[in-house]
Amino acid sequence: MSRRITAPLAALSFAAVVAAVAVGAAQQTATPVAGQMAPEKVDAALNARIRAEGLQRSQIMRTEHYLTDVYGPRVTGSPNHENAAKWAVATMESWGMKNGHLEPWDFAREGWLNERADGHILSPVKANLVFAVQAWTPSTKGTVRAPAVNLVTPVGPEAPAAAGRGAAAPTFLGPTQAELDAYFAQMAPKVKGAIVLVGASRVPAFLEVEATKRRDDEQARRQYNPDPNAPAGRGGNRGAAPPAGGRGGGQAGQGAQGQPVRLSAQQVNQQVSAFLMTNGAAVRVADAGERLGIIRAQSGNGYDAGKQLPGVLLRNDDYGRIARILADGTPVTLEFNIVNHTYPEGKTSYNAIAEIPGTDKADEVVMMGGHLDSWQAATGATDNAIGCAIMMEAARILQAVGAKPRRTIRVALWSGEEEGLLGSLAYVDKHFGTFENPKPEFAKLDAYWNIDTGTGLVRGGSVFGPAEGGRILAQFMKPWEDFKVYGATVGSSRATGGTDSTSFNHAGLPGIGSSQDPIEYNSHTHHTNLDTYERILPDDVMKDAVITASIVYHIAMRDEMMPRFTKEQMPALPAPPASPAPPVSPAR
């Protein structure tokens, strides 16, 4: 067993001893000042025990090892995910937690998992290919050896919005339907039985300076303001719905007077998919388009393996090499053997639930969670096994130190997050309803704490609700300033997107999203082939578990629940997204 699983850093033990000496009283409170809100009770003695347990006797890397090395990847609906969920429940019960169970919800799609895949260039050179299989795509029919074809659909003129603004890579409008039909007619005899590279090869931009891995301390202080009595900043919710419009070129033309109607990128992709299926292509290959061999893999075109081709995302370096050889006029022969499985029983998926029962306010609940499902290119370590491991470890710490919360503390490890927050939305709908249509448990949910941005230190948080909620949360974060936690903001968006705390916000409940140091999350590990155990920083995540245990416990101990928006204050639910333009009938 590796040292990273079993032994915290020695420096952490020293820090814990110093911190334990620094806190003496069993209770510490801020000194009230005229005109300020009443100070929150902070149990300094319990915080010291939480710190010592979480830093000196941590089990978080052992938990991370099981969730990733043993059970990853954990695609929703797959046996891997279900087995990980069962293991998590059994493990939490072994720590003394109660009411452990798998709570089913209707995924309405078959589960999917890749068993094996290999690919090679056979001629004019011989080379292994590095790729990831697209989720919910089918297997190849055994080993497929076929010529490579590069399908690059035509484009229109440069997009007006990009012209003249000095963009490094201009974007272009899509083709007209007539232009696309003509191209398909030309390519139809070439793609039959072929392995088709869809799109021109790209060269990712060189980065002179890598993205920052740690937030600047002063910047974090200014954002969160560590004074718990200062007005809380108004923060957004991570993952709010992006502005309308797709990435890159290809906006659908509006048929301005005298101008041809042009297809959107989405319409072109839909027609390419139908064209390749209709004309008998063997495998669809996409350019991963990332630097340093990173492959960011998700699903193919939908969740029905019977309606799409075997699909792979090929390392940018390999894609470019093949495309350049083809451009020289030299034929290329490729080989793929892909074995995928679908699981009809995966149409029912599960959230993993366990609790620390409360005492005098046991019917009220404080929740904490992360999503257990992941994508398939790696073992889902930073997205989001570590969020789940942090929640499990926080609960273990509270059990180990003998904490007796007034309210029930409930851990929820979600599935279906990667497909659209489906598991947490189903849970919130079943148990709580919404502010507009509440169910009986709506009044009993105190708050929900979420982690879902990787391995970095928690630097603050944002709670959905009035300013008072931010000031309360900031007071519970104040004892952890030596961990560089600097306070809280508040948010008012009820849009869902990005992570599971927004499912609670959508309902009008106090969801709390944590803000972490980025480390390598967006640049290297989010949904990629690099999202493995090795990317976890033990020192950071042990501290995150300590912070989580303390914050959730102190929320559970308050006389009153976290404040909510009143009827007059509650933001309206966002309008449903506009329906996309209907796809143009594919060429036959």
Side-chain angles (χ1 to χ4, degrees):
M1 189 173 288
S2 74
R3 185 173 64 85
R4 293 186 69 188
I5 295 177
T6 58
L9 300 179
L12 292 176
S13 298
F14 175 76
V17 172
V18 171
V21 171
V23 290
Q27 296 283 335
Q28 67 178 19
T29 60
T31 302
V33 176
Q36 293 182 345
M37 63 181 284
E40 294 294 319
K41 295 177 182 179
V42 176
D43 190 334
L46 185 68
N47 272 349
R49 297 202 302 274
I50 287 172
R51 184 186 293 256
E53 179 65 30
L55 301 186
Q56 296 174 21
R57 293 175 287 279
S58 176
Q59 294 186 33
I60 194 168
M61 293 307 292
R62 177 181 182 274
T63 298
E64 179 74 354
H65 157 64
Y66 274 92
L67 294 181
T68 57
D69 299 334
V70 178
Y71 295 111
R74 303 170 306 279
V75 179
T76 301
S78 71
N80 285 20
H81 172 267
E82 184 174 342
N83 290 334
K86 289 177 178 176
W87 179 86
V89 168
T91 299
M92 289 189 284
E93 287 183 322
S94 75
W95 295 336
M97 297 179 70
K98 306 300 181 183
N99 194 28
H101 65 281
L102 297 185
E103 187 159 326
W105 60 275
D106 184 11
F107 184 42
R109 305 165 174 87
E110 291 186 321
W112 177 95
L113 204 60
N114 170 250
E115 178 182 309
R116 55 166 294 182
D118 57 81
H120 311 272
I121 303 176
L122 299 182
S123 68
V125 295
K126 297 190 183 299
N128 294 324
L129 296 174
V130 179
F131 63 95
V133 177
Q134 299 269 43
W136 279 279
T137 58
S139 306
T140 56
K141 296 177 181 179
T143 299
V144 175
R145 298 180 184 88
V149 172
N150 194 186
L151 186 147
V152 182
T153 56
V155 297
E158 186 174 348
R165 69 182 182 192
T171 58
F172 296 87
L173 297 173
T176 65
Q177 187 63 56
E179 290 168 343
L180 189 59
D181 288 345
Y183 180 72
F184 282 161
Q186 170 194 341
M187 294 298 295
K190 300 178 182 180
V191 302
K192 185 174 179 59
I195 296 171
V196 182
L197 282 66
V198 177
S201 65
R202 295 169 282 172
V203 178
F206 171 71
L207 294 183
E208 188 74 40
V209 178
E210 293 285 345
T212 183
K213 297 184 180 182
R214 296 281 187 194
R215 291 196 61 188
D216 177 77
D217 288 352
E218 287 308 310
Q219 180 193 63
R221 284 180 184 273
R222 287 193 300 272
Q223 176 182 352
Y224 292 112
N225 192 341
D227 178 2
N229 285 298
R234 179 65 61 177
N237 296 311
R238 173 184 176 263
R247 294 180 58 193
Q251 296 295 323
Q254 298 302 309
Q257 188 172 3
Q259 298 297 318
V261 174
R262 295 192 172 276
L263 302 175
S264 69
Q266 181 184 25
Q267 290 172 326
V268 170
N269 182 62
Q270 289 170 334
Q271 293 197 48
V272 166
S273 298
F275 169 75
L276 294 177
M277 285 286 290
T278 300
N279 288 278
V283 179
R284 177 172 179 162
V285 180
D287 184 355
E290 302 269 359
R291 52 197 292 270
L292 306 178
I294 294 171
I295 301 172
R296 207 173 299 270
Q298 296 179 208
S299 61
N301 294 300
Y303 298 91
D304 188 339
K307 294 182 179 179
Q308 52 189 318
L309 295 173
V312 304
L313 272 170
L314 189 59
R315 181 175 63 171
N316 175 254
D317 315 65
D318 292 334
Y319 193 100
R321 181 185 189 184
I322 296 167
R324 289 189 295 272
I325 294 173
L326 289 172
D328 285 340
T330 302
V332 176
T333 302
L334 302 178
E335 175 184 278
F336 282 96
N337 184 11
I338 300 169
V339 180
N340 300 325
H341 294 285
T342 56
Y343 300 91
E345 61 273 23
K347 290 181 179 180
T348 298
S349 189
Y350 303 92
N351 298 318
I353 309 294
E355 297 177 339
I356 301 174
T359 54
D360 63 309
K361 291 180 177 289
D363 62 329
E364 297 176 358
V365 178
V366 179
M367 294 186 67
M368 56 178 170
H371 70 88
L372 187 56
D373 63 303
S374 74
W375 286 115
Q376 71 280 8
T379 56
T382 69
D383 189 25
N384 183 33
I386 197 55
C388 296
I390 288 168
M391 301 306 158
M392 292 175 65
E393 175 69 2
R396 187 200 67 79
I397 290 169
L398 291 174
Q399 290 286 95
V401 301
K404 300 297 181 185
R406 300 178 70 187
R407 294 178 180 84
T408 296
I409 293 175
R410 182 180 298 161
V411 174
L413 311 180
W414 311 111
S415 63
E417 192 272 355
E418 297 294 6
E419 292 75 36
L421 316 183
L422 301 180
S424 60
L425 285 170
Y427 185 91
V428 169
D429 178 66
K430 175 182 176 181
H431 288 269
F432 308 123
T434 65
F435 178 81
E436 292 77 12
N437 294 288
K439 295 182 177 178
E441 292 179 64
F442 187 90
K444 300 296 185 178
L445 191 280
D446 190 343
Y448 168 77
W449 167 264
N450 190 81
I451 286 183
D452 185 19
T453 42
T455 189
L457 278 172
V458 169
R459 308 301 298 275
S462 178
V463 56
F464 177 84
E468 183 186 359
R471 290 192 288 266
I472 292 167
L473 186 59
Q475 291 187 62
F476 294 150
M477 290 181 168
K478 184 75 172 175
W480 306 105
E481 278 192 279
D482 63 315
F483 287 177
K484 300 186 177 182
V485 183
Y486 292 135
T489 59
V490 292
S492 59
S493 172
R494 294 181 70 181
T496 57
T499 195
D500 294 293
S501 56
T502 67
S503 297
F504 291 79
N505 302 349
H506 180 77
L509 293 165
I512 306 171
S514 61
S515 173
Q516 297 171 261
D517 278 337
I519 310 299
E520 300 167 325
Y521 186 72
N522 287 313
S523 60
H524 288 75
T525 66
H526 180 243
H527 297 181
T528 78
N529 55 325
L530 303 185
D531 192 9
T532 62
Y533 176 96
E534 287 73 16
R535 305 282 80 76
I536 301 300
L537 303 180
D539 182 44
D540 283 31
V541 299
M542 285 190 285
K543 290 175 179 175
D544 290 343
V546 166
I547 295 163
T548 294
S550 174
I551 289 172
V552 170
Y553 172 80
H554 281 90
I555 293 173
M557 293 298 291
R558 298 184 74 245
D559 290 336
E560 304 295 331
M561 294 200 301
M562 290 290 282
R564 303 183 185 186
F565 286 124
T566 65
K567 181 178 181 180
E568 294 73 25
Q569 296 169 329
M570 181 63 69
L573 282 166
S579 299
V584 179
S585 299
R588 297 287 178 180

